[in-house]
Amino acid sequence: MYLTRLIYFSERNPSVDCDIQQILESARRRNAANSITGALWFNGSLFLQVLEGGRHNVSETYHMIARDHRHQNIELVECKAISERAFPKWSMGYHGDTKLNRERLLRFSGHDQLAPQEMSPESMLGLLMSLDLSDQAV
Ligand code: FAD
């Protein structure tokens, strides 16, 4: 299976309960079983996520995520073959809305607020790769 990386962003659906801890638990459990790695950014209203793994597993996981009513207006940014994972140690790393993360945003975008429509795929990946171990806790 070709190694593939997929990036998308979406909006939280305000009419549906959204427990980020529950999303992460389910994502980490299922991703570990499917050899999928990646990272998720959530600031309370927007999600930005990268998934990487075998093409078939990434495709199935993305379609399942896209059907999840906890978010809406999902926009696929990039899906491409890669030679190496960027997140080999993360079944799903997490970036919350912290001061440190807003500072990280300034490195990769024109604001300290997440505005995925104004970011290139490279900047999104750079932002998500700036994850460090302290981010693992929700
Ligand atoms: P469980 O893990 O057993 O579900 C746990 C609980 O979550 C349920 O009882 C229910 O309360 C709630 N729940 C589950 N599915 C839904 C739903 N569709 N709508 C509303 N509530 C629901 N899954 C992955 O496998 N990998 C990922 O990387 C991943 N990332 C996600 C990112 C986002 C932004 C969102 C919103 C979801 C993500 N998910 C991910 C979850 C995925 O969409 C599925 O919901 C999940 O994989 C279903 O797992 P499960 O059937 O084992 O449900």
Side-chain angles (χ1 to χ4, degrees):
M1 282 206 289
Y2 281 112
L3 196 56
T4 297
R5 176 186 301 133
L6 183 151
I7 303 175
Y8 76 86
F9 62 88
S10 62
E11 291 168 12
R12 177 185 173 175
N13 180 351
S15 349
V16 176
D17 270 355
C18 175
D19 178 345
I20 188 66
Q21 180 78 58
Q22 197 175 58
I23 289 174
L24 284 171
E25 274 169 19
S26 165
R28 286 172 179 155
R29 175 172 43 78
R30 298 179 59 95
N31 291 350
N34 291 313
S35 303
I36 288 182
T37 52
L40 176 68
W41 183 292
F42 179 53
N43 65 2
S45 54
L46 292 173
F47 294 99
L48 171 63
Q49 188 173 30
V50 57
L51 300 167
E52 52 186 23
R55 184 168 65 200
H56 178 78
N57 287 351
V58 167
S59 175
E60 278 205 328
T61 300
Y62 173 69
H63 287 295
M64 187 182 59
I65 294 171
R67 288 193 298 268
D68 194 315
H69 296 299
R70 289 171 287 189
H71 62 165
Q72 60 190 11
N73 297 330
I74 300 171
E75 188 161 323
L76 182 61
V77 173
E78 183 176 80
C79 183
K80 66 177 193 182
I82 52 170
S83 55
E84 190 181 344
R85 290 173 195 256
F87 303 88
K89 296 186 180 161
W90 298 94
S91 57
M92 192 43 59
Y94 175 64
H95 297 267
D97 188 28
T98 61
K99 183 168 177 286
L100 177 62
N101 282 341
R102 286 191 292 276
E103 285 166 9
R104 285 178 177 149
L105 262 170
L106 271 183
R107 242 177 96 195
F108 295 99
S109 77
H111 319 267
D112 67 353
Q113 298 297 321
L114 184 63
Q117 300 83 350
E118 299 171 22
M119 291 175 76
S120 67
E122 293 73 25
S123 293
M124 290 180 184
L125 186 62
L127 177 66
L128 290 164
M129 283 177 69
S130 65
L131 186 72
D132 65 38
L133 278 177
S134 60
D135 294 307
Q136 180 71 357
V138 180

